[in-house]
């Protein structure tokens, strides 16, 4: 299963219970990296500050080495999907899948 599908399924749990209990912080940081890349590539104007705060806490929890690696992996996931499906289709998919995070 692709990272994006896993994260879409787990995201509601993350909001309900916080990243430490709902998902592994590494997975959360990968999602954050993917969405940050989408924000840059798709020109989304806003990013949920609660998600940024959770990502910051996760980054501190796992450390800079593992945290940065997870964020880069998420950004690469966005790039991979955009290469396969096209940037416009991927941006629309991200916008529909994560309306509570990015606009």
């Amino acid at each position: 299963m692709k990272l994006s599908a896993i994260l879409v399924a787990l995201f509601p749990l993350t909001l309900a219970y916080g990243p430490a209990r709902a998902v592994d912080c590494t997975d959360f940081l990968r999602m954050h990296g993917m969405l940050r890349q989408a924000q840059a590539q798709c020109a989304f104007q806003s990013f949920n500050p609660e998600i940024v705060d959770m990502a910051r806490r996760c980054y501190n929890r796992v450390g800079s080495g593992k945290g940065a690696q997870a964020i880069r992996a998420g950004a690469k996931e966005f790039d991979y999907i955009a290469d396969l499906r096209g940037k416009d289709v991927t941006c629309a998919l991200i916008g529909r899948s994560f309306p509570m995070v990015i606009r």
Side-chain angles (χ1 to χ4, degrees):
M1 181 181 281
K2 287 272 188 213
L3 170 65
S4 55
I6 294 167
L7 295 175
V8 167
L10 292 176
F11 189 73
L13 292 174
T14 303
L15 289 179
Y17 300 107
R21 290 182 288 188
V23 296
D24 179 89
C25 274
T26 302
D27 287 341
F28 189 85
L29 289 171
R30 286 177 72 184
M31 178 192 70
H32 184 70
M34 181 179 67
L35 295 175
R36 280 297 188 185
Q37 184 74 347
Q39 182 181 25
Q41 296 295 317
C42 304
F44 290 115
Q45 298 298 312
S46 64
F47 202 94
N48 186 329
E50 291 177 20
I51 301 305
V52 175
D53 185 53
M54 282 190 256
R56 197 172 289 124
R57 287 193 313 258
C58 272
Y59 190 87
N60 290 334
R61 182 173 177 217
V62 301
S64 62
K66 192 172 184 180
Q69 182 180 11
I71 291 170
R72 281 192 303 271
K76 287 180 183 179
E77 176 76 12
F78 174 87
D79 292 339
Y80 175 77
I81 296 167
D83 285 345
L84 285 177
R85 301 182 86 183
K87 186 173 98 172
D88 292 340
V89 170
T90 304
C91 290
L93 174 65
I94 295 287
R96 281 192 313 272
S97 298
F98 296 94
M100 69 297 279
V101 179
I102 198 165
R103 289 189 186 14

